[in-house]
């Protein structure tokens, strides 16, 4: 299988100078190849997007909405097919892939209502005979650079809003699981989107750098690790672009003594090990406030033992493999590092039973207890099925732990005390907060994004802030002379 670029409404027909392997994570075998774009190929995609923009920007709001409605129906009808593509290349189980598509669909549905979001303002008679009004116009060609962990959902955070606002898009998805992006491109074409409005280029840093530097690209949306997010933000802004770059996370779940511990344990396991922990909103640290530590660790351990890990295409599997062998090996290295630093390795995922081929990129759910904030298993974003329990004596200590962490993406508190929950949501320095909700990803009509080292730029993803990111405002001051006008007046306008 060969996955190539999608430029100007059709697959690219050139010969790639370089290519990469696409793996089936559940078997460890090479399942196909993906072409890597040179700077010249990126230039072709940007040129196609620029030409399409000149026409698409003048398309009526009704036409843009109709395309989005049609795209939504096609995506909904073929969601099973897309889920199978995601599972084959990423490794997450089919239910996780289906959930990813559902969240993406919600953002498409939000974009269907774009006329409501693009209304400007109007002030009649701001001065005598003078009206002032604002209009919202598209930027032009925008670049979208997305990670491997959500190959459909994250592109759908950005592309529908960007397109509905009148922009054209060049998407650079992860080379690890590239086929979902081409599937979306095909659906956009079937929905009636004009050729060149949505383009896909595959590749690595060479393609990314050209997107970041190309003078015709007006804005960049990015999701990935914090070091790369910082690089994207600094490079893009240095080249005069508007940039929103969402980085990494170390999400804490605080469990107070009055919490329902069964609910908290269920939440910790689902939020810590769903999609093999390869998501920026995964819970990776449980902050247990004394005296609940022993009981909570016991309940989490019981649930981990019952998790079925295996090939995501097999019935009953709840957690799949990691995306590549190199990433699996990196995550495994933290198990030895945590134990060497003095943490208690309660459950070693390397010994978890696997329902799949031995050559797959497997690591079962792993649990550490008595973790300290100076250990690498705490400070680093591991991005795998490793859950750490950190014990603190009080609520105030829990807040201090969360607030002093350099990441600020998401957090959750589990408690039956409404006052404590309200205090937590006000005191915590995190962009997204859950109360008895372990993964507080906002619905599509709010916006997604963290604080501190989890976000570079001012705009969060999707929702109202996502729309604002893809348009710029223009203010028009107009004066139309009435039929009674006569003579010339060169004086300054009067405040009347």
């Amino acid at each position: 299988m060969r996955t190539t670029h999608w430029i100007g409404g059709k697959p690219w027909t050139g010969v790639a100078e370089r290519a990469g392997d696409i793996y089936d994570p559940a078997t460890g075998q090479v399942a196909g190849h993906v072409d890597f774009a040179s700077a010249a190929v990126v230039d072709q995609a940007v040129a196609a997007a620029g030409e399409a923009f000149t026409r698409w920007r003048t398309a009526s709001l009704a036409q843009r909405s109709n395309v989005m409605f049609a795209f939504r129906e096609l995506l909904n009808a073929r969601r099973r097919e897309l889920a199978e593509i995601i599972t084959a290349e990423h490794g997450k189980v089919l239910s996780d892939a289906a959930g990813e598509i559902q969240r993406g669909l919600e953002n498409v549905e939000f974009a269907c209502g774009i006329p409501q979001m693009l209304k400007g303002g109007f002030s009649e008679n701001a001065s005598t005979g003078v009206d002032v009004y604002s209009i919202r116009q598209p930027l032009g060609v925008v670049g979208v650079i997305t990670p491997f962990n959500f190959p459909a959902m994250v592109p759908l955070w950005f592309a529908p809003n960007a397109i509905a606002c009148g922009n054209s898009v060049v998407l650079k998805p992860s080379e690890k699981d590239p086929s979902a992006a081409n599937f979306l491109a095909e659906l956009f074409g079937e929905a009636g989107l004009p050729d060149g409005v949505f383009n896909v280029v595959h590749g690595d840093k060479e393609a990314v750098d050209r997107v970041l530097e190309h003078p015709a690209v007006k804005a960049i949306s990015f999701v990935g690790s914090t070091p790369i997010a910082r690089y994207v933000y600094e490079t893009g802004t240095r080249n005069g672009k508007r940039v929103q770059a969402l980085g990494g996370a170390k999400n804490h779940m605080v469990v107070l003594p009055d919490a329902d511990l069964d609910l908290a344990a269920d939440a910790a396991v689902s939020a810590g090990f769903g999609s093999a922990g390869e998501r920026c909103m995964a819970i990776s640290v449980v902050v247990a406030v004394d005296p609940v530590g022993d009981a909570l660790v016991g309940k989490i351990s019981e649930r981990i033992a019952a998790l079925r890990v295996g090939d995501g295409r097999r019935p009953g599997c709840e957690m799949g493999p990691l995306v590549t062998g190199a990433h699996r090996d990196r995550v495994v290295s933290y198990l030895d590092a945590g134990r060497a630093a003095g943490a208690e390795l309660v459950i070693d995922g390397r010994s978890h039973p696997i329902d799949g081929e031995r050559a797959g990129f497997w690591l079962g759910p792993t649990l550490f207890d008595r973790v300290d904030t100076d250990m690498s298993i705490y400070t680093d974003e591991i991005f795998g099925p490793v859950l750490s329990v950190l014990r603190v004596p009080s609520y105030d200590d829990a807040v201090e732990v969360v607030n002093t962490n350099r990441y600020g993406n998401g957090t959750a508190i589990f408690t039956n005390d409404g006052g404590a929950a309200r205090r937590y949501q006000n005191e915590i320095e995190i962009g997204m907060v859950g109360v008895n909700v372990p993964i507080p990803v906002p619905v599509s009509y709010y916006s997604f994004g963290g604080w501190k080292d989890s976000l570079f730029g001012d705009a969060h993803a999707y929702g109202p802030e996502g729309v604002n990111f893809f348009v710029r405002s223009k203010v028009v001051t107009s004066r139309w002379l009435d039929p009674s006008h006569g003579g010339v007046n060169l004086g300054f306008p009067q405040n009347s």
Side-chain angles (χ1 to χ4, degrees), residues 22 32 97 110 124 189 277 351 364 380 465:
I22 304 172
F110 179 85
E124 184 181 28
S351 60
D380 297 357
E465 289 191 46

Side-chain angles (χ1 to χ4, degrees), residues 119 393 454 465:
K119 293 189 299 184
S454 294
E465 289 191 46

Side-chain angles (χ1 to χ4, degrees), residues 5-10 12 38-56 140-143 167-171 194-201 210-211 213-218:
H5 322 296
W6 191 277
I7 299 175
K10 58 183 180 297
W12 184 67
S38 64
V41 172
V42 174
D43 289 350
Q44 292 178 31
V46 174
E51 182 180 354
F53 171 69
T54 61
R55 300 184 300 274
W56 181 244
V141 180
V142 300
N167 302 283
S168 56
V169 172
V170 175
L171 168 65
D195 292 347
V197 177
F198 183 75
N199 307 273
V200 181
V201 293
R210 185 54 183 158
V211 172
E213 296 166 359
H214 199 295
V217 176
K218 302 303 182 184

Side-chain angles (χ1 to χ4, degrees), residues 24-29 321-322 324-325 328-329 354 356-363:
D24 180 341
T27 66
Q29 302 301 309
L322 277 74
T324 65
R328 185 268 319 277
D329 294 344
I354 302 298
E357 297 187 26
R358 294 185 62 185
F361 307 138
W362 305 109
L363 176 64

Side-chain angles (χ1 to χ4, degrees), residues 354-383:
I354 302 298
D355 182 10
E357 297 187 26
R358 294 185 62 185
F361 307 138
W362 305 109
L363 176 64
T366 296
L367 178 64
F368 278 104
D369 190 13
R370 305 186 185 280
V371 174
D372 291 332
T373 57
D374 59 349
M375 298 177 179
S376 64
I377 57 172
Y378 175 80
T379 59
D380 297 357
E381 183 184 29
I382 299 174
F383 221 64

Side-chain angles (χ1 to χ4, degrees), residues 273-303:
F273 304 121
S275 198
E278 294 174 323
R279 49 191 181 191
C280 66
M281 289 299 288
I283 291 297
S284 54
V285 180
V286 173
V287 183
V289 179
D290 287 343
V292 302
D294 288 345
L296 185 59
V297 168
K299 289 179 179 293
I300 292 173
S301 299
E302 293 171 2
R303 286 157 173 79

Side-chain angles (χ1 to χ4, degrees), residues 1-317:
M1 180 188 73
R2 176 192 176 209
T3 300
T4 193
H5 322 296
W6 191 277
I7 299 175
K10 58 183 180 297
W12 184 67
T13 57
V15 178
E17 298 174 3
R18 297 183 301 125
D21 294 331
I22 304 172
Y23 286 90
D24 180 341
T27 66
Q29 302 301 309
V30 174
H33 305 281
V34 55
D35 291 339
F36 281 10
S38 64
V41 172
V42 174
D43 289 350
Q44 292 178 31
V46 174
E51 182 180 354
F53 171 69
T54 61
R55 300 184 300 274
W56 181 244
R57 68 173 301 176
T58 61
S60 69
L61 293 177
Q63 180 183 351
R64 295 184 210 166
S65 290
N66 287 339
V67 169
M68 285 300 148
F69 275 112
F71 176 73
R72 189 265 176 203
E73 292 306 302
L74 289 167
L75 181 56
N76 187 51
R78 300 180 63 184
R79 60 199 301 170
R80 173 74 185 192
E81 184 180 348
L82 179 55
E84 290 172 350
I85 291 171
I86 294 169
T87 295
E89 292 186 352
H90 175 275
K92 65 178 65 176
V93 299
L94 280 169
S95 59
D96 274 351
E100 167 182 351
I101 296 165
Q102 178 58 40
R103 292 312 299 263
L105 272 166
E106 292 175 9
N107 290 302
V108 176
E109 291 163 357
F110 179 85
C112 289
I114 202 65
Q116 172 69 19
M117 300 300 299
L118 293 184
K119 293 189 299 184
F122 190 95
S123 296
E124 184 181 28
N125 232 33
S127 186
T128 303
V130 175
D131 301 327
V132 180
Y133 56 94
S134 63
I135 54 179
R136 311 184 77 192
Q137 297 183 320
L139 305 175
V141 180
V142 300
V144 177
I145 304 168
T146 57
F148 72 83
N149 58 330
F150 289 102
M153 184 185 74
V154 175
L156 293 173
W157 281 1
F158 302 113
N161 278 339
I163 292 169
C165 288
N167 302 283
S168 56
V169 172
V170 175
L171 168 65
K172 207 304 285 184
S174 172
E175 68 279 12
K176 296 180 177 67
D177 45 10
S179 299
N182 284 39
F183 188 90
L184 296 177
E186 291 185 47
L187 293 189
F188 270 123
E190 292 179 33
L193 188 69
D195 292 347
V197 177
F198 183 75
N199 307 273
V200 181
V201 293
H202 300 286
D204 53 8
K205 188 176 184 296
E206 181 178 352
V208 169
D209 283 346
R210 185 54 183 158
V211 172
L212 295 177
E213 296 166 359
H214 199 295
V217 176
K218 302 303 182 184
I220 301 291
S221 296
F222 171 86
V223 176
S225 68
T226 286
I228 306 303
R230 180 180 286 110
Y231 172 80
V232 167
Y233 179 76
E234 292 174 351
T235 306
T237 53
R238 186 170 63 247
N239 283 278
K241 306 184 193 315
R242 181 181 292 188
V243 181
Q244 53 179 175
L246 283 70
K250 198 72 179 181
N251 302 316
H252 299 70
M253 187 178 102
V254 174
V255 182
L256 297 187
D258 70 317
D260 182 323
L261 293 190
D262 287 313
L263 176 65
D266 288 341
V269 171
S270 62
F273 304 121
S275 198
E278 294 174 323
R279 49 191 181 191
C280 66
M281 289 299 288
I283 291 297
S284 54
V285 180
V286 173
V287 183
V289 179
D290 287 343
V292 302
D294 288 345
L296 185 59
V297 168
K299 289 179 179 293
I300 292 173
S301 299
E302 293 171 2
R303 286 157 173 79
I304 288 176
L307 279 181
R308 185 174 174 188
V309 179
D311 189 327
R313 293 160 293 204
R314 298 184 180 182
C317 288

